[in-house]
Amino acid sequence: MRYLMKTLKQILILLAVALICVSCKFPSSISYNPWAVISLPTEATMQDLGFTGDLSHGWIVGSYATIFETKDGGNTWQQKGLDLGDENYRFSSVSFAGDEGWIVGQPSIMLHTNDGGESWSRILLSEKLPGSPNRILALGPNSAEMTTDVGAIYQTKDAGKTWKAQVAQAVGVTRNISRSEDGSYVAVSARGNFYSTWDPGQSAWLQHNRYSSKRLQNMGFTPDGRLWILARGGQVQFSTAENLEEWEEPIYPDFSNSLGLLDLAYRTPNEIWVAGGSGNLLCSFDGGETWQKDRDLRDVPSNFYKIVFVTPEQGFVIGQKGILLKYELPSQEA
């Protein structure tokens, strides 16, 4: 009997521990939903957005050569038409420096404006360009930096008349590519089995094996220059401050949910937002130590692909088929 009671006690202890572990898999709900849902009148999936020097005036671009303009900071959007012939372009990136702006997409296309988007002109690209343009960054007057979907990097300083290669060889087909504020890049391979880094002045990309067995989904830079990773199975990981090739322990913000995490963005140095499939949006207010979930968005019928904070007060989450979330500053911070 004594042995039986001892065994039952051990079983109860194990059950209690298991229940505690299970409860840890569910992040708490965020106390306030700061995201307003905006439905653009389109079936297109938007890809990127950018604002002019006037933060009330911006543009969002996407598939089927879709382009919308806002003049009230993103509360309302009006679709615009461009005469580009019969080709079905997918606009993947838009960027402005003041009133000068750029749009790129696939098949290879580049548009340029000097008047905030009132008019757009097409810039012809060389047929020898490695890959198709996928990202564009306005750097200043007449200057921009473009990357392609195979990791080529080019800069122009004469409004697109000529382009100078920044890296001798492309890296290969990429899943995504991200740029730090100081001009460094990280690119994830198409299959997610390795990543590559490049710093200004280097002649070639440096390849790295992924740290874990999980395939990489996306990568980028933290405000203090470290790397972050989103991997399959809902995993988040940060490199150490001392070495970009050493990694901290993996984090599972919502371990009970195996839906993929697709993008990560910092609103402030300590506030991180992570977006994913089926209306999945998570937040950490302490630099990734603990996580909360925005469950008010779980019924939004959309995957969330991209997070953009134009400023800490102005942010957007881009979803599929015209779904857009706009950040609204909580009243206690306003």
Side-chain angles (χ1 to χ4, degrees):
M1 179 63 69
R2 183 177 299 175
Y3 175 78
L4 178 61
M5 293 299 295
K6 183 177 180 181
T7 302
L8 288 173
K9 185 177 180 181
Q10 290 175 337
I11 292 173
L12 290 173
I13 291 173
L14 290 174
L15 287 173
V17 171
L19 287 172
I20 292 173
C21 291
V22 168
S23 67
C24 292
K25 296 179 181 179
F26 295 90
S28 60
S29 296
I30 191 172
S31 60
Y32 170 78
N33 170 32
W35 300 97
V37 181
I38 299 172
S39 295
L40 304 178
T42 180
E43 287 295 302
T45 293
M46 312 313 289
Q47 301 291 325
D48 194 22
L49 58 82
F51 280 76
T52 68
D54 174 6
L55 293 182
S56 65
H57 186 200
W59 297 82
I60 188 169
V61 300
S63 57
Y64 308 114
T66 305
I67 181 169
F68 282 82
E69 180 184 22
T70 181
K71 292 186 176 180
D72 59 9
N75 293 316
T76 60
W77 297 81
Q78 294 77 43
Q79 189 165 5
K80 301 294 180 179
L82 298 174
D83 184 9
L84 299 173
D86 297 329
E87 186 72 63
N88 182 14
Y89 292 104
R90 175 180 176 268
F91 294 149
S92 56
S93 183
V94 57
S95 180
F96 279 87
D99 282 336
E100 184 177 14
W102 307 77
I103 293 174
V104 296
Q106 306 84 37
S108 291
I109 187 171
M110 175 178 288
L111 305 176
H112 181 241
T113 181
N114 277 313
D115 54 17
E118 185 70 23
S119 61
W120 294 88
S121 60
R122 185 165 181 176
I123 295 178
L124 296 180
L125 297 170
S126 171
E127 294 181 355
K128 297 180 180 180
L129 179 72
S132 296
N134 66 346
R135 309 304 304 168
I136 188 78
L137 177 67
L139 297 175
N142 299 321
S143 300
E145 190 166 274
M146 169 185 65
T147 62
T148 73
D149 54 8
V150 295
I153 307 171
Y154 288 88
Q155 274 193 13
T156 182
K157 295 184 179 180
D158 54 13
K161 295 178 182 177
T162 60
W163 295 85
K164 181 179 180 181
Q166 303 300 297
V167 60
Q169 293 182 337
V171 71
V173 181
T174 60
R175 177 187 298 270
N176 44 55
I177 185 168
S178 299
R179 185 184 191 273
S180 69
E181 290 188 3
D182 66 2
S184 297
Y185 280 92
V186 60
V188 176
S189 67
R191 297 181 61 187
N193 54 348
F194 69 90
Y195 68 96
S196 303
T197 55
W198 178 83
D199 294 324
Q202 291 182 339
S203 60
W205 288 86
L206 181 63
Q207 291 190 359
H208 311 263
N209 292 324
R210 66 180 189 266
Y211 181 73
S212 73
S213 61
K214 297 182 180 296
R215 291 189 180 273
L216 308 177
Q217 187 68 41
N218 198 355
M219 292 186 68
F221 294 90
T222 68
D224 60 1
R226 295 178 296 142
L227 289 171
W228 57 259
I229 281 178
L230 300 181
R232 297 288 178 86
Q235 177 180 302
V236 180
Q237 202 163 13
F238 299 92
S239 67
T240 64
E242 296 78 18
N243 189 340
L244 296 186
E245 294 193 51
E246 293 181 356
W247 295 89
E248 298 176 352
E249 288 298 312
I251 301 168
Y252 294 89
D254 188 3
F255 194 75
S256 63
N257 192 334
S258 62
L259 294 172
L261 301 178
L262 302 177
D263 198 22
L264 180 152
Y266 282 77
R267 189 181 79 86
T268 70
N270 288 318
E271 185 175 321
I272 310 170
W273 287 87
V274 175
S278 298
N280 207 18
L281 199 61
L282 297 138
C283 180
S284 173
F285 296 100
D286 53 16
E289 293 293 327
T290 60
W291 293 85
Q292 299 178 36
K293 188 168 185 175
D294 193 333
R295 289 185 167 84
D296 288 349
L297 300 171
R298 57 189 170 187
D299 294 328
V300 177
S302 178
N303 296 321
F304 297 147
Y305 294 113
K306 187 178 180 66
I307 310 172
V308 178
F309 281 103
V310 183
T311 69
E313 294 75 32
Q314 188 177 28
F316 299 87
V317 176
I318 299 175
Q320 64 190 130
K321 294 185 177 181
I323 293 295
L324 183 68
L325 308 181
K326 180 179 182 292
Y327 182 83
E328 296 181 339
L329 200 65
S331 57
Q332 61 267 27
E333 294 187 32

